[in-house]
Amino acid sequence: MTRKQIQIFFERLREQRPHPETELNYSNPFELLVAVTLSAQATDVSVNKATDKLFPVANTPQAIYNLGVEGLKGYIKTIGLYNSKAENVIKACKILIEKHNGVVPNNRADLEALPGVGRKTANVVLNTAFGQPTMAVDTHIFRLGNRTGLAVGKNVLEVEHRLVKVIPKEFILDSHHWLILHGRYCCIARKPKCHECVVSDVCNWPDRFEFGADRPSPKAITVKNLDL
């Protein structure tokens, strides 16, 4: 995409969702950390069903650690890979208690040192809990970045670096949420809803017209206060 297209792209997504938020339920950084850890290869809906029962009982590192692996499994057994996730969460709680006084760290190195926390999970926590301009690339954003031409890359890290580089500063903080929601509900994998997409006229996917996108009109593409 050109700089002009990218500006329009995010202006439209911002207009569509002025206040985007994660669909995971949480009330503090620790709850978010646990929820994102549990969400790997699972839906946000399934995670919310589990944490809606877990968090009223235990929502601190010490409280969840006190449950133990088997106790935690009882709350999250409906989530995929719950055995390994329960072990990782308990190990992470132990580290948070012993090394961080029960507080979720606000830096990448310490977050990624926690069991079950990879780069994507760390990026979500840094962005959503601490307001840092990070980009967590999941399958939806990876697909969207490559399909639209916004950020082309062979792997998630390439797409992440490209997105951080090309997204204007005014959009970067909320861009993760805009992209994941657009990828989840509009730019879906098998049958993208190009006929109702708000950015189809600046998208570079050649097959979009087969899914109902209108052919773009150059006169319709305008950007205010953009120095080109």
Side-chain angles (χ1 to χ4, degrees):
M1 282 189 185
T2 65
R3 191 155 61 94
K4 184 175 183 178
Q5 286 175 303
I6 294 171
Q7 180 75 20
I8 295 170
F9 187 92
F10 283 99
E11 284 183 349
R12 300 265 185 81
L13 295 185
R14 179 173 62 187
E15 182 178 358
Q16 184 183 44
R17 294 185 173 93
H19 306 289
E21 296 180 345
T22 177
E23 294 185 317
L24 290 170
N25 295 337
Y26 76 99
S27 62
N28 59 54
F30 177 70
E31 287 187 358
L32 178 64
L33 175 64
V34 172
V36 179
T37 301
L38 296 177
S39 71
Q41 299 183 48
T43 66
D44 288 357
V45 172
S46 67
V47 173
N48 288 337
K49 287 181 179 179
T51 56
D52 284 349
K53 296 179 180 179
L54 170 65
F55 290 155
V57 175
N59 72 336
T60 66
Q62 188 65 61
I64 288 186
Y65 184 74
N66 290 343
L67 291 176
V69 173
E70 293 304 318
L72 180 57
K73 285 182 182 180
Y75 289 96
I76 67 171
K77 60 185 178 181
T78 56
I79 301 174
L81 307 176
Y82 73 93
N83 285 309
S84 59
K85 289 177 180 179
E87 292 179 2
N88 283 334
V89 169
I90 293 300
K91 290 177 182 177
C93 287
K94 187 174 188 293
I95 294 173
L96 290 174
I97 294 167
E98 294 179 349
K99 295 187 177 181
H100 303 285
N101 296 315
V103 177
V104 175
N106 63 354
N107 66 85
R108 181 183 304 282
D110 286 335
L111 283 172
E112 292 187 12
L114 298 173
V117 177
R119 185 177 181 87
K120 186 186 77 172
T121 296
N123 279 337
V124 173
V125 174
L126 291 172
N127 177 269
T128 304
F130 299 112
Q132 297 184 24
T134 58
M135 173 57 63
V137 178
D138 67 350
T139 55
H140 297 298
I141 296 179
F142 180 77
R143 177 181 64 252
L144 189 153
N146 278 284
R147 176 185 280 171
T148 64
L150 174 63
V152 177
K154 296 178 181 179
N155 54 58
V156 293
L157 190 58
E158 286 186 8
V159 171
E160 176 190 331
H161 289 164
R162 180 63 178 165
L163 286 170
V164 172
K165 181 178 179 180
V166 303
I167 296 174
K169 291 183 179 180
E170 65 176 299
F171 303 116
I172 192 66
L173 189 60
D174 289 324
S175 58
H176 162 73
H177 298 303
W178 283 321
L179 293 175
I180 194 171
L181 292 172
H182 192 68
R184 182 176 290 170
Y185 296 112
C186 185
C187 195
I188 56 182
R190 294 185 179 180
K191 294 183 179 180
K193 301 176 182 178
C194 301
H195 60 287
E196 60 184 54
C197 177
V198 297
V199 292
S200 63
D201 59 334
V202 291
C203 172
N204 288 334
W205 189 41
D207 295 338
R208 66 192 185 281
F209 305 116
E210 297 180 14
F211 292 90
D214 294 329
R215 292 190 178 277
S217 170
K219 294 182 179 179
I221 301 178
T222 59
V223 183
K224 297 180 180 179
N225 302 320
L226 180 62
D227 181 10
L228 298 176

